[in-house]
Amino acid sequence: MVALVDVNNFYVSCERVFCPALHGQPVIVLSNNDGCVVSRSDEAKALQIGMGQPVFEIRELIRKNRVHVFSSNYALYGDMSARVMNTLRQFAPSLEVYSVDESFLDFSGMQRFDLAAHALNIRKTVWRWVGVPVCVGVGPTKVLAKVANHLAKKDKAGNGICLLENNWENALKTLDVSDVWGIGRQYTRLLHQYGIRTAYDLTQANDAWVRKHLSVVGLRIKKELEGEACIHLETDVPNKKNVGTTRTFRQPLSTQNELGEALADFAARCGEKLRKQQSSATMFTAYIQTNHLAAGEQQYSRSFTLTFHTPTNSTLQLVNAAKFALQKIFRSGYRYKRAGVLLGELVHPCAGGQMSLFDNLDHAKHTRLMAALDSVNARFGRNTVRTAAQSLGGSARLTQQNRLSPGYTTKWKEALRVGGSA
């Protein structure tokens, strides 16, 4: 049996942990630059606030209903996610972190036990230790565990858990095929054309027909709905094939110096990501663009790609590449709204790739320097040590976060104080 544990309204739940007065109140969390709704409490959903809805469309609704609004605090959410996943590891021998708020638990190899009691214990322990509510769906396959989790969220009287041990046909008959994990909008339209409207209808379709129209991926989903495990847990997180950092700026940037600082920040962040997954980049691309939605403004968009003689993850080299690329693509007289750095053709630094004849860089020295840089920044906070080309305030200053909550678990100065005076 496999369980899917999913945190309810994750971003909102994280904010409520440190402000209990928010429980029972409508709460929403906004995307970068406070543009769109990315997380809603049940109370906010009841007000018909949609996922992804632009905030300017609902300002009056927010004011009338006293909706609490927060900017995305990704550092806090990432730390809370790690706490949830570390808590879940004690409940199963194998765990796959599927997303920031979802995890699959494989109970294979465990002695026979009461699944319902175990699922309820998972839910209670996460609530007690981390403070966020979760729903637990259990089934013989990953897709059925997803179905069970979906049903657990819908059933308010089910204590947040749902088990599909056997005879799950009735459950599949109530589930729209669009709600099946892996069935997107395009497949949904196709299936509806052939009269397949529920998950149960999909299980009754011919295997050959499903493979022809939905590919082998769709056939695997069908088999999983029937109880045959075809999609196994990925306990080792695969390295990303591409790494990037991009931003839409709060206010347009016009000078080369401002854009240079932003691109240097992005390149440094990409370097951290590379070193975290022990990769090096061969291809480097930087781009800048104006706001194509701004009527009456001159438009300009350009990118520049370069290749490193030897793959690198050194912040110094990446920042230098950003400066060089900006010199090639910057044009004065424009208001730039978006920029980014993208790294491709990633390799493992120990893969023994061919060194360039013209490469005279001391890579061992750079490796030691980057290790020291990461160690200091991990201990005292990101950008405690930075290159001179980077901005003093970090790239966050360029984005709009007017309703950002404190870094309760990531910054000592913003940790909650309980009782007494400072």
Side-chain angles (χ1 to χ4, degrees):
M1 300 294 284
V2 177
L4 175 66
V5 182
D6 181 19
V7 183
N8 301 340
N9 312 321
F10 180 57
Y11 291 174
V12 167
S13 295
C14 290
E15 299 291 353
R16 282 175 164 174
V17 170
F18 303 95
C19 188
L22 295 175
H23 286 283
Q25 301 292 318
V27 183
I28 60 174
V29 177
L30 307 180
S31 62
N32 285 333
N33 287 313
D34 295 347
C36 302
V37 178
V38 294
S39 184
R40 308 159 295 162
S41 67
D42 290 338
E43 296 78 10
K45 295 175 184 177
L47 296 174
Q48 304 302 312
I49 296 177
M51 177 64 81
Q53 187 169 12
V55 71
F56 72 84
E57 294 181 354
I58 54 174
R59 286 202 176 100
E60 187 62 20
L61 182 65
I62 291 172
R63 186 189 65 81
K64 285 185 176 181
N65 295 277
R66 298 182 179 180
V67 178
H68 301 271
V69 183
F70 291 88
S71 302
S72 291
N73 190 338
Y74 294 119
L76 173 66
Y77 307 152
D79 183 74
M80 294 297 287
S81 173
R83 294 176 184 226
V84 171
M85 302 311 166
N86 287 335
T87 301
L88 294 178
R89 293 184 196 281
Q90 68 172 309
F91 290 100
S94 299
L95 177 143
E96 174 191 338
V97 178
Y98 179 66
S99 68
V100 69
D101 61 343
E102 292 179 280
S103 194
F104 287 102
L105 282 67
D106 188 354
F107 299 136
S108 299
M110 297 178 63
Q111 292 182 350
R112 196 166 186 83
F113 58 93
D114 187 332
L115 275 172
H118 196 61
L120 188 59
N121 188 30
I122 290 174
R123 192 168 189 267
K124 289 182 177 179
T125 302
V126 174
W127 174 256
R128 188 184 313 118
W129 291 10
V130 187
V132 295
V134 301
C135 282
V136 183
V138 183
T141 69
K142 290 176 74 172
V143 172
L144 284 174
K146 268 277 193 179
V147 171
N149 186 275
H150 179 82
L151 296 175
K153 289 184 176 181
K154 297 294 183 181
D155 184 8
K156 300 301 181 182
N159 292 322
I161 64 172
C162 177
L163 273 63
L164 298 179
E165 291 188 79
N166 45 53
N167 299 324
W168 54 81
E169 289 185 357
N170 289 334
L172 297 185
K173 290 177 181 178
T174 66
L175 186 70
D176 193 282
V177 72
S178 62
D179 292 325
V180 176
W181 183 40
I183 302 295
R185 293 181 181 177
Q186 186 174 352
Y187 280 164
T188 298
R189 287 195 295 267
L190 173 67
L191 292 171
H192 283 181
Q193 290 175 5
Y194 287 91
I196 299 175
R197 298 193 170 275
T198 68
Y200 177 78
D201 293 338
L202 181 57
T203 64
Q204 301 306 299
N206 179 269
D207 285 358
W209 184 93
V210 171
R211 175 157 188 167
K212 177 181 177 181
H213 291 86
L214 306 185
S215 77
V216 68
V217 175
L219 182 58
R220 288 173 182 164
I221 293 172
K222 175 183 181 294
K223 292 295 185 182
E224 289 249 333
L225 286 173
E226 295 171 344
E228 181 181 338
C230 302
I231 307 173
H232 303 291
L233 262 68
E234 297 180 5
T235 54
D236 295 324
V237 180
N239 284 344
K240 296 179 180 178
K241 298 181 180 179
N242 299 283
V243 165
T245 301
T246 64
R247 291 287 186 277
T248 298
F249 304 127
R250 175 174 50 190
Q251 298 294 336
L253 306 182
S254 301
T255 69
Q256 186 172 354
N257 183 57
E258 290 175 320
L259 278 172
E261 288 185 352
L263 288 178
D265 287 335
F266 301 161
R269 181 71 184 112
C270 286
E272 293 177 14
K273 294 178 182 179
L274 286 177
R275 294 191 293 275
K276 187 174 182 179
Q277 70 170 31
Q278 296 185 331
S279 295
S280 292
T282 304
M283 302 291 294
F284 179 100
T285 299
Y287 76 88
I288 54 176
Q289 66 183 49
T290 55
N291 185 3
H292 67 280
L293 298 177
E297 288 193 11
Q298 288 185 316
Q299 300 298 315
Y300 175 81
S301 177
R302 192 64 57 85
S303 65
F304 184 83
T305 300
L306 58 88
T307 303
F308 295 112
H309 290 305
T310 302
T312 184
N313 59 23
S314 169
T315 292
L316 302 183
Q317 285 189 286
L318 296 174
V319 168
N320 280 333
K323 292 167 58 180
F324 180 81
L326 184 61
Q327 291 175 355
K328 296 291 185 181
I329 60 179
F330 178 78
R331 297 291 183 273
S332 60
Y334 295 95
R335 287 159 49 84
Y336 296 97
K337 185 64 173 176
R338 187 172 179 82
V341 167
L342 306 172
L343 305 181
E345 295 191 18
L346 307 188
V347 298
H348 194 283
C350 299
Q354 179 69 43
M355 299 288 287
S356 170
L357 177 65
F358 305 101
D359 185 6
N360 59 1
L361 189 71
D362 188 341
H363 290 278
K365 183 177 181 180
H366 271 249
T367 299
R368 295 194 300 271
L369 179 60
M370 291 302 104
L373 177 75
D374 292 339
S375 177
V376 172
N377 287 336
R379 181 175 180 181
F380 297 103
R382 180 175 294 161
N383 289 330
T384 299
V385 178
R386 60 171 77 87
T387 65
Q390 293 177 243
S391 62
L392 292 177
S395 59
R397 70 185 176 86
L398 302 174
T399 58
Q400 181 170 300
Q401 292 180 306
N402 294 329
R403 301 173 181 270
L404 186 66
S405 57
Y408 298 108
T409 67
T410 58
K411 296 180 181 179
W412 281 110
K413 292 182 179 179
E414 297 179 8
L416 287 175
R417 290 188 172 90
V418 180
S421 58

